[in-house]
Amino acid sequence: EKEILTILEEVQKTGVTERELQKAKNGQLKGTIGRFSTNMGRAGLLAKYEAHWGGWKHLYDLLPRYAKVTPADIQRVAKKYFTEKTRTVIELKPENAPQGGEQK
């Protein structure tokens, strides 16, 4: 948890590099295009866009929207949403975990 918070604070302060952003965009692009390789993936995308965005044709806007994201956008969103006030941390432990969170 501390490492994640440290990284989020760093993004808030200094943003991300173009290279980091491009790697993230490439991952999103690969995942999205990969969903088109099966009927189930295509159906899932169409259903998701119909339900969440009001029409499946909004799927055409997806890749151009990814392309427009800038490092400044990432930093702005990190500052707005990744704050202590808006954060929810969930800790999952086995039922038989000892008190104090230490696992043996």
Side-chain angles (χ1 to χ4, degrees):
E1 179 182 346
K2 289 178 185 177
E3 290 177 32
I4 292 170
L5 295 177
T6 299
I7 292 169
L8 289 175
E9 288 173 6
E10 186 68 24
V11 171
Q12 290 171 333
K13 290 177 187 173
T14 62
V16 296
T17 66
E18 285 287 344
R19 184 171 189 275
E20 290 168 327
L21 178 57
Q22 191 58 55
K23 285 175 69 174
K25 287 180 181 182
N26 291 348
Q28 287 294 321
L29 186 63
K30 182 179 185 275
T32 300
I33 291 173
R35 300 232 4 228
F36 284 101
S37 66
T38 67
N39 287 335
M40 182 66 83
R42 286 189 291 273
L45 280 171
L46 293 172
K48 177 181 177 180
Y49 272 76
E50 190 66 37
H52 294 280
W53 300 101
W56 65 268
K57 290 185 179 180
H58 290 285
L59 188 56
Y60 291 120
D61 302 329
L62 179 62
L63 299 181
R65 282 198 337 252
Y66 285 162
K68 291 180 184 177
V69 175
T70 67
D73 293 330
I74 301 297
Q75 187 175 20
R76 176 180 45 78
V77 169
K79 285 179 179 179
K80 182 174 181 178
Y81 294 105
F82 297 140
T83 66
E84 189 171 348
K85 184 178 179 181
T86 61
R87 177 177 26 230
T88 301
V89 177
I90 299 173
E91 193 172 322
L92 300 175
K93 297 179 184 179
E95 285 184 33
N96 58 355
Q99 294 293 334
E102 295 298 320
Q103 293 185 5
K104 294 183 180 183

